[in-house]
Amino acid sequence: MKQTEATVGLSRSLGLWSALALVIGTVIGSGIFFKQASVLQLTGSTNLALLAWLLGGLITLADGLTLSEIGAQIPHTGGLYQYMNHIYGKFWGFMSGWMQVIVYAPAIVGSIAGYLGLLMVNFFGIGAVWKGPIALLAIVLIATLNMLQNRYGATFAIVTTICKLLPILAIVIFGLFFGHESGVGETLAGVHQSMGNFGVAVLATIFAYDGWILITNLGGEIKQPERLLPIAIILGILIIIVLYLGVTYGIFRSMGAGRIDQLGENATAYFATNAFGKWGGRLVNIGIMISIIGALNGKIMSFPRIYYAMAHEHQLPFSHQLGRLNRTTQTPVVATLTLLVLTAIMIFTVDTDRLSELCIFVMYSFYIAAFVGVFILRRRNPGGSQLFRTPGYPFVPIFAILGTGFVVVSELFSDFTGALVSMGVIALGVPLYAYLKRYYRHEQDQDVL
């Protein structure tokens, strides 16, 4: 039996706290605990390292301010896919969504789940053979949770975000008030400071800030999205910037630059052990695992909405199935199961880390196109959204375009082969788009469970 989307629709029940927790929880994974040393090694001084974190945060904030204006005008399920669809037409909407649903979404979920599995086998001292099964179990459990009503996934996001903030705040507070071996202002001997190295450091911080855009996939489930979506994005990014700078400054206040360089990725765990005793290191490990679980939840909750949105426009094979909503939970169960199956296959067959890296060039290229879309929308609709307008226009959007362009150019030079492969995946979507356009030419109705 066929019914329209008006009969069974996505539940618009997510408030500001849920949206804010999803922004923070999706962005903050393990990077906040590990990247301080690598950024320091690239910049050669703690002051420049802090500046790199700040500049990466400001670029991300400009991105968020720019995209918020688009989100306020196009508050629909699917985020970037919908923005490309409305601004540039269905072909480019399909291209941006195709890359996400076929490669990027399952690859990034598989990569994060795999890292969670690695941490857990090390934490509990069990064999490495359990890494894959633990990763699979994690995504099955989180996917199952997100097949229930969206308030359960949102509540889980709030809980995990609060839990991950506790060790982060402990590190910040201890470093600020009890740090005695200040490395602030120190430089690393033997490290050549250059604009090139500083640029690579900023690039590393930009990747640490990535993930906030996924909240836009839930635009059709947020209450008053024209007002709350910009608030959640901007406030969330600001909080993340403060936390990243706070953790970095706290660690620099508590250890010398040379010591941080020597410890590398273990610097935060060493700091926690010294600050809080023998349980400090374990506390950090638990915090990292909770952070990863929270990030997984945000991604598994948001990515299936792209499948659903594309299927609703008949832009995927099996669109009738992928576009269905469960009558009771009002969630895209089939789309979530599809993401789960694709991720499970990738975990056991390919290098998901490398696969997710291959998507960076194309994904950030679509980000640039979306930011340019602000200028197009203002010309097309001068009245625009009266609820949110990007402050500092046109300079903030230009800064966002330049900052994201820096990522694209850097990827092109550092991983040219990967950029070609990602463009090849995009090219594979062209004949599929043409086929689906013919196949669903006469389709009008949307199936629901």
Side-chain angles (χ1 to χ4, degrees):
M1 177 179 178
K2 290 186 177 181
Q3 294 187 13
T4 64
E5 182 66 14
T7 304
V8 180
L10 293 165
S11 175
R12 196 177 286 280
S13 60
L14 304 180
L16 177 59
W17 290 111
S18 297
L20 188 60
L22 283 164
V23 172
I24 297 171
T26 304
V27 172
I28 298 180
S30 61
I32 192 171
F33 298 99
F34 288 135
K35 283 188 177 287
Q36 283 74 27
S38 62
V39 173
L40 173 61
Q41 290 161 357
L42 286 167
T43 58
S45 83
T46 53
N47 286 346
L48 284 177
L50 285 167
L51 181 60
W53 281 104
L54 178 60
L55 184 55
L58 291 177
I59 291 172
T60 304
L61 181 60
D63 295 349
L65 288 167
T66 303
L67 206 71
S68 289
E69 180 170 332
I70 300 176
Q73 294 188 57
I74 311 172
H76 306 310
T77 299
L80 181 64
Y81 160 73
Q82 292 284 14
Y83 305 158
M84 297 295 294
N85 211 6
H86 281 74
I87 297 170
Y88 298 103
K90 289 191 174 184
F91 174 77
W92 289 110
F94 170 82
M95 287 299 164
S96 66
W98 161 255
M99 185 68 179
Q100 292 183 79
V101 301
I102 296 300
V103 182
Y104 183 65
I108 196 69
V109 171
S111 176
I112 295 172
Y115 189 57
L116 175 64
L118 178 64
L119 286 178
M120 283 195 163
V121 297
N122 291 334
F123 186 81
F124 293 106
I126 57 180
V129 69
W130 289 100
K131 173 188 170 183
I134 289 174
L136 180 60
L137 178 63
I139 61 173
V140 167
L141 291 176
I142 296 174
T144 301
L145 175 69
N146 282 288
M147 290 181 210
L148 304 176
Q149 293 177 343
N150 60 14
R151 61 189 175 92
Y152 291 103
T155 300
F156 189 63
I158 294 173
V159 172
T160 54
T161 298
I162 292 173
C163 290
K164 76 170 66 178
L165 288 179
L166 293 177
I168 292 172
L169 291 175
I171 292 172
V172 173
I173 292 171
F174 186 91
L176 289 177
F177 296 103
F178 303 101
H180 300 300
E181 191 181 338
S182 180
V184 176
E186 292 185 358
T187 59
L188 291 177
V191 175
H192 176 65
Q193 297 179 13
S194 68
M195 287 302 296
N197 284 348
F198 182 76
V200 175
V202 173
L203 187 66
T205 66
I206 290 174
F207 291 148
Y209 286 108
D210 193 28
W212 57 270
I213 195 173
L214 295 182
I215 187 61
T216 62
N217 292 335
L218 298 163
E221 295 165 83
I222 296 174
K223 300 174 183 177
Q224 302 176 17
E226 301 89 346
R227 185 175 66 88
L228 293 188
L229 188 59
I231 294 174
I233 291 174
I234 296 165
L235 184 57
I237 291 173
L238 285 171
I239 291 173
I240 293 164
I241 292 172
V242 171
L243 292 175
Y244 278 2
L245 287 173
V247 168
T248 304
Y249 186 76
I251 291 174
F252 288 171
R253 281 267 300 172
S254 303
M255 287 189 284
R259 188 62 171 159
I260 296 171
D261 177 40
Q262 180 184 9
L263 290 167
E265 290 188 350
N266 296 317
T268 305
Y270 177 86
F271 161 81
T273 302
N274 280 352
F276 308 113
K278 65 179 182 179
W279 288 99
R282 296 183 72 83
L283 176 67
V284 169
N285 286 330
I286 293 172
I288 293 170
M289 288 187 283
I290 292 174
S291 288
I292 293 174
I293 290 170
L296 270 178
N297 178 65
K299 288 174 170 61
I300 291 175
M301 185 175 183
S302 61
F303 276 132
R305 272 61 181 177
I306 306 175
Y307 294 80
Y308 169 78
M310 294 186 70
H312 194 61
E313 295 291 331
H314 304 300
Q315 288 196 334
L316 284 178
F318 309 105
S319 284
H320 290 299
Q321 291 74 30
L322 290 169
R324 289 174 176 171
L325 295 177
N326 182 274
R327 292 187 186 280
T328 303
T329 65
Q330 296 176 270
T331 54
V333 171
V334 177
T336 303
L337 286 171
T338 302
L339 173 63
L340 176 60
V341 171
L342 290 174
T343 303
I345 292 172
M346 287 187 179
I347 286 175
F348 292 102
T349 58
V350 298
D351 183 351
T352 52
D353 290 338
R354 177 57 181 155
L355 203 57
S356 61
E357 289 171 0
L358 292 177
C359 301
I360 292 173
F361 175 79
V362 167
M363 288 305 304
Y364 277 78
S365 296
F366 282 123
Y367 292 169
I368 292 175
F371 300 151
V372 172
V374 168
F375 297 95
I376 296 174
L377 288 177
R378 286 216 181 184
R379 177 169 294 186
R380 187 182 297 169
N381 182 18
S385 171
Q386 299 305 314
L387 290 174
F388 185 84
R389 306 275 279 182
T390 301
Y393 179 91
F395 302 106
V396 169
I398 290 172
F399 183 55
I401 292 168
L402 293 175
T404 308
F406 168 65
V407 176
V408 171
V409 173
S410 298
E411 282 298 309
L412 193 60
F413 279 97
S414 64
D415 190 9
F416 184 72
T417 301
L420 287 179
V421 170
S422 63
M423 287 188 287
V425 173
I426 286 289
L428 290 175
V430 176
L432 178 63
Y433 174 80
Y435 169 77
L436 291 172
K437 190 174 182 180
R438 289 195 304 271
Y439 185 83
Y440 288 113
R441 186 168 44 208
H442 304 297
E443 295 289 344
Q444 298 295 329
D445 296 324
Q446 175 70 28
D447 280 344
V448 293
L449 283 172

